[in-house]
Amino acid sequence: MSSSAPASLVPQHVAIIMDGNGRWAKQRSLPRVAGHKVGMERARDITEAAGQRGVKSLTLFAFSSENWQRPFEEVSYLMDLFVTGLEREAKSLHKNGVRLRVIGDRSRFAEKLQNRMAEAEALTAGNTALTLNIAANYGGRWDIINASNLALAGKRAAGDSSALQEADVTPHLALADQPPLDLLIRTGGEIRISNFLLWQAAYAELFFSSVLWPDFSAAELDAAIADYGQRQRRFGKTGEQVAETN
Ligand code: IPE
Ligand code: IPE
Ligand code: MG
């Protein structure tokens, strides 16, 4: 599939669990962090490719709320990579019309990193070609609890003591302002969600690739998009009902 694929077959919102950096490095007798460095280059390539193919939102899992448990050196390296990456890439993202957003609980990051995130977001806020969401210190459970607390606070402030409904929570979730998640890709061969977009993935199409993230290419993305184009999304209805309305 190329950039000329019919728009309806192109997922509007793609999320990727970029997994396999450590194993890629280990296979080459390199330190794990060498995999993260190359992984960062892949994130840049895939962002560009996704935009060219007509994807409107791309959400990349860069650091989970559980990844703090990794060795101190690895976590420090990843933090440095975020800072330098944001400093280096913000301008070119802006030039390419990409709006950058960071989703997750940022309060745990160093002030310098929080500032870089805010600066990159401010610089690119008006762009419309593609929204790139970087999930950092993100957890799906955190997202749901955070949104629920915000919804609850709003209700209480309005003197409303009724129970929370889905419609109260959804506007406060990360990515609420973006198209629904269509396609969730995980690289690196593991068949699990690892606390990524739990709520948003409820009806996403899932695609698992055994390719390690540093080896992931635009051709692999195209394979995932082509596979997505073959799926029938039923959202609980029968296949016949869906076929009738298409
Ligand atoms: C994913 O690659 C990147 C991050 C979690 C930051 P891993 O570092 O998890 O790579 P593997 O799974 O150990 O190969
Ligand atoms: C998920 O990968 C997190 C990111 C890709 C950032 P992990 O490597 O942390 O997931 P598990 O530990 O194998 O489930
Ligand atoms: Mg991993």
Side-chain angles (χ1 to χ4, degrees):
M1 186 170 295
S2 72
S3 46
S4 61
S8 61
L9 298 181
V10 175
Q12 292 296 284
H13 190 161
V14 176
I16 308 181
I17 302 174
M18 308 183 289
D19 195 25
N21 293 350
R23 280 164 286 162
W24 182 92
K26 203 172 169 198
Q27 282 173 1
R28 288 160 180 77
S29 306
L30 295 168
R32 290 179 54 84
V33 295
H36 295 318
K37 188 157 184 259
V38 179
M40 174 94 158
E41 308 296 319
R42 285 299 85 75
R44 194 209 286 135
D45 302 343
I46 295 302
T47 299
E48 198 183 320
Q52 285 168 356
R53 280 145 185 80
V55 171
K56 296 308 290 177
S57 283
L58 177 68
T59 302
L60 300 179
F61 204 5
F63 192 84
S64 77
S65 43
E66 288 74 32
N67 288 146
W68 295 105
Q69 299 171 76
R70 293 191 176 197
F72 176 78
E73 295 72 29
E74 183 170 345
V75 172
S76 306
Y77 185 91
L78 284 166
M79 295 301 137
D80 288 346
L81 206 58
F82 284 146
V83 174
T84 53
L86 284 166
E87 284 171 352
R88 214 182 50 200
E89 300 299 331
K91 280 205 187 83
S92 67
L93 289 171
H94 184 46
K95 209 176 74 200
N96 292 321
V98 178
R99 177 173 72 135
L100 182 86
R101 302 283 299 277
V102 179
I103 62 165
D105 181 2
R106 301 181 194 195
S107 62
R108 202 168 158 186
F109 292 124
E111 201 181 322
K112 184 179 178 187
L113 180 50
Q114 291 191 41
N115 290 341
R116 292 293 167 279
M117 289 170 171
E119 285 158 15
E121 284 184 339
L123 175 71
T124 61
N127 295 336
T128 55
L130 169 76
T131 299
L132 172 63
N133 305 290
I134 302 292
N137 193 20
Y138 178 87
R141 290 174 180 169
W142 167 83
D143 194 359
I144 293 167
I145 292 292
N146 184 55
S148 304
N149 281 325
L150 291 169
L152 199 56
K155 267 185 179 286
R156 281 188 181 145
D160 179 351
S161 58
S162 64
L164 283 179
Q165 308 292 322
E166 270 188 41
D168 298 319
V169 176
T170 45
H172 298 287
L173 288 163
L175 311 176
D177 60 330
Q178 297 178 44
L181 182 61
D182 293 316
L183 174 62
L184 173 59
I185 299 171
R186 183 178 187 134
T187 70
E190 309 294 358
I191 315 294
R192 57 177 173 256
I193 303 287
S194 299
N195 196 19
F196 195 27
L197 300 162
L198 298 180
W199 183 298
Q200 296 85 346
Y203 267 105
E205 296 299 322
L206 309 182
F207 185 90
F208 295 95
S209 165
S210 57
V211 175
L212 303 174
W213 177 249
D215 288 331
F216 200 77
S217 65
E220 315 286 345
L221 177 69
D222 285 339
I225 291 176
D227 197 84
Y228 170 85
Q230 302 297 315
R231 310 267 182 103
Q232 186 190 46
R233 304 186 75 188
R234 291 193 281 276
F235 298 100
K237 295 182 179 172
T238 67
E240 289 73 19
Q241 285 175 302
V242 174
E244 265 166 33
T245 53
N246 280 342

